Amino acid sequence: MQTLHVHTPGHSYPIHIGFRLFDNLAELIRPHIGGKAAIISNQTVAPLYLAPVKAACQQLGINVCEIILPDGEQYKNNESLQQIYTGLLQHHADRRTTILALGGGVIGDLAGFAAATYQRGIPFIQIPTTLLSQVDSSVGGKTGINHPLGKNMIGAFYQPQAVIADTATLQTLPPREFSAGLAEVIKYALLGDMDFLAKLEHAMPGIMRQEPAALADTIRHCCQMKASIVEQDEKEQGIRALLNLGHTFGHAIETQMGYGNWLHGEAVAAGMVLAARLSERKGYLKTADTERIIRLLQAARLPVAPPEFAVDTWLAHMQHDKKNQAGQIRLVILKRLGQAAVEAGFSREDMAALLQSI
């Protein structure tokens, strides 16, 4: 097991990463849990992993209830949030109740937002079971739900008490979901670590085979980068916005295509290619740089071209992006491989030319 720590102004917490951590789960959650616990999971993950998490709570003498939601991005909505609140109220959850978020990014975001708002804030622990949630969404305290007009538009910054990433859970992950998680891994390589980018290019075949050492090292590296950025900018007022590389385009794809039809990582992958092409058009990247990105995404079996829809449709969705200021679309672009920046002032003509070039 490897343990990292996230230090924010009001709170510090550990990230535990390792193979078969569920074998020792009771000891890992013991310092962070109160007299009651509510396990929030979904209909896919619960049959696989609810039993050992529940047993760990019971081993500690903790009164535990479970709230099981439908599985899918389309259920990251207010209806599911209300289902969590109802379950907590029915089980008389109080301010000493700890929520355990057992699942991928959707469960982590929903459970975290419920924890942030139930009785004005109760503790929660992230137990991520997908690659995307282990390398990215479980760390940093972003919680929330989607709205029909925009992804992640309703939420809160609320840090967990701990993150427990058992890499053994990835063995039950469908290949498409595993690849989707690699989009966030590749994002970290493009943001600021050329050595990691080169290492990833070499290690991708082993990662795709889920070789334990390659996988654990990759997850640790991404979590370390995320922790460092969150410590500098917990509430995304500056450097943390760079973590949205490809996400403005990606969120537009997810919203337009219907939540869940394109997985988040798939949409981000296509979005990163668009961001790279835009960076090319600005004179920052060379075509060879973009082709290098595309080859790595293809090695991870990710899409590299977005779906086709009208420029005005793209712009309508992108206008809802949280980075925008004074009505201007702001995008994360690459000044070079390993160096990102946020730029504004992109016109309809810029977007039309970009999309026509793909």
Side-chain angles (χ1 to χ4, degrees):
M1 183 179 75
Q2 302 179 64
T3 299
L4 310 174
H5 289 87
V6 182
H7 303 284
T8 63
H11 180 55
S12 297
Y13 58 93
I15 306 168
H16 301 299
I17 304 163
F19 187 74
R20 296 191 63 174
L21 296 189
F22 282 5
D23 292 351
N24 194 39
L25 187 58
E27 292 308 307
L28 293 175
I29 65 174
R30 184 192 294 273
H32 312 290
I33 201 163
K36 290 184 178 181
I39 304 170
I40 299 174
S41 191
N42 66 36
Q43 294 167 348
T44 300
V45 174
L48 297 169
Y49 302 115
L50 178 62
V53 176
K54 192 172 182 178
C57 293
Q58 292 170 336
Q59 184 180 333
L60 297 174
I62 291 167
N63 182 0
V64 61
C65 71
E66 56 205 59
I67 301 168
I68 310 302
L69 303 173
D71 183 16
E73 184 75 32
Q74 65 270 37
Y75 298 106
K76 199 172 93 172
N77 56 24
N78 186 59
E79 184 178 346
S80 295
L81 184 65
Q82 295 302 319
Q83 187 176 335
I84 295 173
Y85 292 147
T86 299
L88 292 172
L89 288 164
Q90 287 175 339
H91 290 92
H92 308 290
D94 57 26
R95 285 181 172 170
R96 293 188 66 246
T97 300
T98 302
I99 285 177
L100 304 180
L102 175 65
V106 170
I107 287 295
D109 283 6
L110 272 165
F113 190 37
T117 49
Y118 183 77
Q119 295 195 1
R120 299 185 175 88
I122 62 174
F124 85 111
I125 296 171
Q126 290 272 21
I127 308 178
T129 61
T130 66
L131 181 60
L132 189 146
S133 58
Q134 290 186 3
V135 300
D136 189 73
S137 64
S138 67
V139 179
K142 276 189 176 181
T143 71
I145 59 174
N146 298 330
H147 186 278
L149 295 179
K151 184 177 167 71
N152 294 334
M153 295 305 294
I154 302 160
F157 288 98
Y158 194 68
Q159 302 294 340
Q161 299 301 302
V163 179
I164 301 168
D166 186 342
T167 59
T169 62
L170 303 181
Q171 295 178 339
T172 56
L173 199 61
R176 185 182 171 199
E177 292 274 2
F178 185 82
S179 287
L182 287 172
E184 297 288 358
V185 173
I186 293 168
K187 175 193 76 176
Y188 283 107
L190 298 178
L191 284 178
D193 192 333
M194 292 300 293
D195 288 341
F196 183 52
L197 177 60
K199 186 175 183 179
L200 204 55
E201 290 170 321
H202 177 74
M204 187 58 74
I207 293 170
M208 294 298 287
R209 292 191 298 269
Q210 294 198 32
E211 293 176 358
L215 203 51
D217 187 55
T218 298
I219 295 169
R220 180 203 59 77
H221 188 95
C222 294
C223 286
Q224 186 66 71
M225 284 190 70
K226 179 76 173 278
S228 175
I229 290 170
V230 169
E231 288 172 355
Q232 297 175 66
D233 180 21
E234 181 182 7
K235 297 190 175 179
E236 203 169 296
Q237 300 301 305
I239 189 175
R240 187 169 179 174
L242 300 180
L243 294 174
N244 291 305
L245 176 66
H247 283 58
T248 302
F249 293 113
H251 288 170
I253 293 170
E254 289 183 86
T255 305
Q256 176 64 21
M257 300 303 289
Y259 297 126
N261 290 312
W262 274 58
L263 297 179
H264 176 67
E266 293 171 337
V268 167
M272 287 193 291
V273 176
L274 286 170
R277 292 295 188 200
L278 184 61
S279 301
E280 262 190 81
R281 297 181 67 83
K282 297 277 289 183
Y284 299 139
L285 290 189
K286 298 176 182 177
T287 301
D289 295 326
T290 303
E291 295 302 320
R292 185 178 177 185
I293 295 169
I294 288 172
R295 284 194 301 273
L296 187 54
L297 291 168
Q298 289 173 329
R301 298 179 193 147
L302 285 163
V304 295
E308 293 185 13
F309 43 92
V311 174
D312 287 338
T313 302
W314 280 99
L315 292 174
H317 291 306
M318 293 166 72
Q319 288 291 347
H320 292 296
D321 190 84
K322 296 182 289 298
K323 294 186 300 303
N324 295 347
Q325 292 179 359
Q328 284 196 324
I329 292 175
R330 301 171 76 236
L331 297 170
V332 182
I333 52 88
L334 292 168
K335 290 294 188 75
R336 59 177 176 80
L337 294 181
Q339 181 184 347
V342 179
E343 289 197 0
F346 297 100
S347 66
R348 184 188 184 284
E349 290 70 27
D350 293 328
M351 293 297 104
L354 170 66
L355 295 168
Q356 287 166 6
S357 70
I358 299 299

